[in-house]
Amino acid sequence: VFDLGVGYEGTFSGIKLAAAGTYEFGDGEGTAGPAGFGTDDISAWNLGAILGFQGFDLAGSYGSWDDSGLTGVEGDYWTAGLGYSAGPVGLSATYLTSDLGSNDFDNVVLGAEYKLAAGLTPYAEVSFYDFNSTGTTYDNQGTTFLLGTQVAF
């Protein structure tokens, strides 16, 4: 398996711009795996970008698994996010949706952080997710709460 990536980051007249892309490829053995799935070649790519101005950041990405490593299964995903920071406070909202074969996944995440001191940032996050697998009873949805502290030396 080989992974390639390239990225760019710069600021022009107070406008922040960052962009990146990756590509992954590899050869599968073609052997049968669990539940009758066979393995196949891998081919995937991703593009993403961030645009920022005066404390606001708008981000998005798109990716595709042309060959997922499972025989006959392809998928893709996209994300979008908006963040704002003012002084020690940061707020964000992100959305992700993905499809892989007959599986669909959606996730909305809301987050907040507060830079309490240099290198000490407590944060809180709530995530709402929904997973559906067409034709099965493996559907699932829920809410996750996360509290934490980032410590940097």
Side-chain angles (χ1 to χ4, degrees):
V1 175
F2 294 93
D3 290 303
L4 307 170
V6 64
Y8 171 81
E9 191 173 326
T11 303
F12 305 96
S13 301
I15 298 173
K16 176 175 64 173
L17 174 64
T22 62
Y23 178 65
E24 178 179 70
F25 60 97
D27 293 327
E29 296 293 325
T31 59
F37 291 112
T39 58
D40 199 0
D41 296 343
I42 297 170
S43 175
W45 59 271
N46 177 74
L47 296 173
I50 298 174
L51 185 64
F53 183 69
Q54 294 187 348
F56 287 94
D57 287 323
L58 178 63
S61 67
Y62 178 81
S64 177
W65 300 284
D66 298 324
D67 288 316
S68 67
L70 297 175
T71 303
V73 179
E74 296 180 0
D76 62 353
Y77 63 90
W78 64 268
T79 66
L82 180 64
Y84 178 71
S85 61
V89 176
L91 303 170
S92 65
T94 59
Y95 175 73
L96 170 130
T97 185
S98 71
D99 299 307
L100 180 61
S102 64
N103 299 319
D104 297 323
F105 180 76
D106 295 292
N107 191 28
V108 174
V109 180
L110 305 174
E113 67 178 25
Y114 184 81
K115 293 177 184 157
L116 195 58
L120 182 62
T121 307
Y123 59 88
E125 178 178 292
V126 60
S127 175
F128 307 96
Y129 64 89
D130 184 28
F131 173 81
N132 294 303
S133 184
T134 305
T136 71
T137 59
Y138 298 125
D139 298 348
N140 192 359
Q141 56 183 238
T143 303
T144 303
F145 297 95
L146 180 66
L147 296 174
T149 300
Q150 180 181 14
V151 179
F153 297 95

